[in-house]
Amino acid sequence: MRFKTFAVASALAATLSAPAMAQTEIQWWHSMSGPLGEWVSDLAKQYNESQKDYKVVATYKGQYDESMTAAIAAFRSGNAPDILQVFEVGTATMMASKGAIKPVGEVMSSGGAKFDPGVYVPAVAGYYTAPNGQMLSLPFNSSTTIFYYNKDAFKAAGLDPEKAPITWPEVIAAADKLKASGHKCPFTTSWMSWTQLESFSAWHNTLFATQNNGFGGPSARLAFNSPLQVRHFENLAKMAKDGTFVYKGRNNTADAAFPSGECAMMTGSSGLYARVAKDAKFKYGISTLPYYPDVKGAPQNTVIGGASLWVMSGKPADHYKGVASFFNFLSDTKVQSESHKRTGYLPITTAAYKLTDASGFYKEHPGTDVAVTQMIRKTTDKSRGVRLGNFVQIRTIVDEETEQIWSGKKTAKEALDTAVKRGDEQLERFQKANKG
């Protein structure tokens, strides 16, 4: 009897101490902080609670460039995450790193998950698709450039708060009135190269770089010093000199300046919407990116921003099944629609856009559909997007050179000419390093 009791107790202890099915942990490195970081954590939690086989561990690894650098170092040492969030300017570099990544279509197929690239918004999916038609990464937080303005500040300056400036001459005129009313920061922008050169060029159906902005191959060279782009930066230079444009710094440094009420107008990411909706203590409006009305073909469409999810190679088969399961969850129509409404990022599937529209969200929150409508226009070879090698370095060069304009050390033409020359050197290096 004593032996039987001991045997039962031992069996029970073994059952309790060694679960029959251990969860497979999926490591996901991302660059979302603040309200967007909360969104990412909620997505992981929601997925983890929806099933028992896998556990997604979402880890913040710094800003986009920092997390990408960390992942490259981790891959070389054999400790790369399963999933890496990479911003759009890192796309060409990731595509060239064939041994380091596993195409998302391949992951989904091997994981037994249904995968149809056709369900994704074409302008979004196309950016992450190789020339052979293979989709390489999963669109995640896709954004585009939009225009934010402070309705209360407009009213105080004698401007119509319900009428957003839609052309650059109108932005300049509004900025003058805002300054005259005592506003110290009428206009600012984040992501200088993305908003004022990349999206600006596509919006005006003008090339940023040759070879269809890099989609045609690695021999692309920069072309953003045309008369139109120089003219635009000459106008920004005049605004900087008279105090109607205030440069706040590189990358997304300026993002805090709009929801805080410091700056009255701003061009930035549609993904800033989550922060504006949460923090702004004033009435605000959302509108399209401004354009020059005398430019033929404008406005065309803006280009993609944000990031996609890349799957790293060399992982066990059960990890890829977990990644496929998680990606299937992220692509769910309801999940996509809720994410779009919460963050301002684009719904990556057409079905999610239709569901959001049917829910009445766009009518209740005017302007939240601007990012989508700017992106779903028919694209041209000049406006499809920009996909270049060493793009991170090129953006840094643009920041360095345009900062010379705001400080009065260079003219707009001198700065853009130098940026093109220095950027082309980066493109030449990338081309030589990736001849195969």
Side-chain angles (χ1 to χ4, degrees):
M1 186 71 178
R2 184 182 294 174
F3 175 77
K4 185 176 181 181
T5 303
F6 176 75
V8 172
S10 298
L12 181 61
T15 301
L16 292 173
S17 62
M21 290 183 67
Q23 281 187 317
T24 299
E25 278 199 358
I26 306 299
Q27 297 296 325
W28 176 21
W29 288 6
H30 67 86
S31 298
M32 301 281 92
S33 59
L36 293 176
E38 294 169 11
W39 164 59
V40 164
S41 295
D42 287 346
L43 282 176
K45 182 181 178 183
Q46 191 180 343
Y47 169 72
N48 292 339
E49 291 175 349
S50 72
Q51 46 74 54
K52 297 180 180 179
D53 297 329
Y54 309 101
K55 181 182 179 181
V56 171
V57 179
T59 305
Y60 176 72
K61 281 288 181 177
Q63 293 191 358
Y64 285 131
D65 52 349
E66 296 170 333
S67 62
M68 191 170 173
T69 300
I72 291 171
F75 176 77
R76 288 171 179 165
S77 63
N79 298 308
D82 299 284
I83 305 168
L84 175 65
Q85 182 191 27
V86 179
F87 59 164
E88 90 284 5
V89 294
T91 299
T93 299
M94 294 299 288
M95 288 176 109
S97 306
K98 295 177 182 177
I101 60 109
K102 194 173 177 71
V104 66
E106 201 176 298
V107 172
M108 299 298 274
S109 298
S110 63
K114 291 182 180 180
F115 184 66
D116 177 12
V119 306
Y120 298 94
V121 175
V124 176
Y127 191 85
Y128 300 113
T129 299
N132 64 2
Q134 185 181 41
M135 202 161 156
L136 299 180
S137 62
L138 183 80
F140 177 56
N141 57 310
S142 296
S143 63
T144 195
T145 47
I146 59 176
F147 184 84
Y148 297 92
Y149 71 103
N150 185 324
K151 290 186 175 183
D152 291 352
F154 265 48
K155 190 174 182 180
L159 294 160
D160 185 349
E162 301 307 320
K163 187 180 180 183
I166 60 171
T167 68
W168 280 107
E170 288 174 355
V171 170
I172 294 169
D176 287 338
K177 285 194 174 183
L178 286 161
K179 186 190 176 187
S181 71
H183 216 292
K184 294 182 179 180
C185 179
F187 171 72
T188 192
T189 187
S190 62
W191 300 105
M192 183 61 67
S193 178
W194 183 46
T195 63
Q196 304 306 315
L197 279 175
E198 296 158 39
S199 275
F200 174 88
S201 298
W203 198 227
H204 290 83
N205 201 31
T206 300
L207 283 176
F208 176 88
T210 62
Q211 289 284 12
N212 297 335
N213 291 328
F215 279 83
S219 62
R221 296 295 180 264
L222 301 174
F224 56 70
N225 57 344
S226 76
L228 171 63
Q229 289 132 329
V230 169
R231 172 179 133 193
H232 179 53
F233 273 81
E234 284 175 344
N235 287 334
L236 290 176
K238 291 174 186 174
M239 292 178 72
K241 191 174 182 179
D242 66 25
T244 52
F245 162 54
V246 180
Y247 177 65
K248 288 291 181 179
R250 301 181 185 183
N251 301 331
N252 65 340
T253 307
D255 282 359
F258 181 75
S260 69
E262 181 187 353
C263 295
M265 298 184 291
M266 175 181 173
T267 48
S269 171
S270 58
L272 180 61
Y273 173 73
R275 187 170 179 179
V276 173
K278 182 181 179 181
D279 297 341
K281 307 300 181 189
F282 52 85
K283 291 182 180 179
Y284 58 86
I286 301 172
S287 188
T288 54
L289 195 68
Y291 68 98
Y292 287 98
D294 62 324
V295 176
K296 188 178 180 180
Q300 181 60 44
N301 63 276
T302 51
V303 298
I304 197 172
S308 64
L309 302 181
W310 292 79
V311 185
M312 307 305 285
S313 64
K315 301 296 179 181
D318 60 333
H319 282 237
Y320 290 129
K321 285 185 179 180
V323 170
S325 170
F326 180 50
F327 281 4
N328 209 35
F329 163 80
L330 291 178
S331 298
D332 178 80
T333 301
K334 289 183 179 178
V335 172
Q336 271 299 307
S337 178
E338 288 305 312
S339 289
H340 167 51
K341 289 190 282 188
R342 177 173 175 175
T343 66
Y345 283 118
L346 299 165
I348 63 172
T349 65
T350 305
Y353 169 59
K354 290 180 178 177
L355 177 63
T356 307
D357 190 23
S359 74
F361 180 78
Y362 298 134
K363 289 182 179 178
E364 293 171 16
H365 302 83
T368 51
D369 61 336
V370 166
V372 185
T373 56
Q374 281 188 168
M375 286 291 292
I376 61 175
R377 296 166 182 251
K378 186 178 180 181
T379 60
T380 70
D381 287 339
K382 295 177 181 178
S383 71
R384 183 181 171 192
V386 182
R387 198 164 71 190
L388 301 169
N390 288 345
F391 207 170
V392 177
Q393 294 91 323
I394 290 171
R395 275 195 176 173
T396 298
I397 288 169
V398 169
D399 285 335
E400 290 172 351
E401 292 301 327
T402 54
E403 282 168 357
Q404 299 292 305
I405 301 175
W406 321 137
S407 64
K409 294 177 181 177
K410 284 187 178 181
T411 65
K413 189 174 190 316
E414 287 171 342
L416 293 185
D417 283 348
T418 306
V420 164
K421 183 180 178 181
R422 292 177 61 196
D424 280 348
E425 291 171 1
Q426 291 292 333
L427 290 174
E428 287 169 19
R429 287 178 195 170
F430 184 81
Q431 184 180 9
K432 289 177 181 177
N434 296 279
K435 281 186 175 180

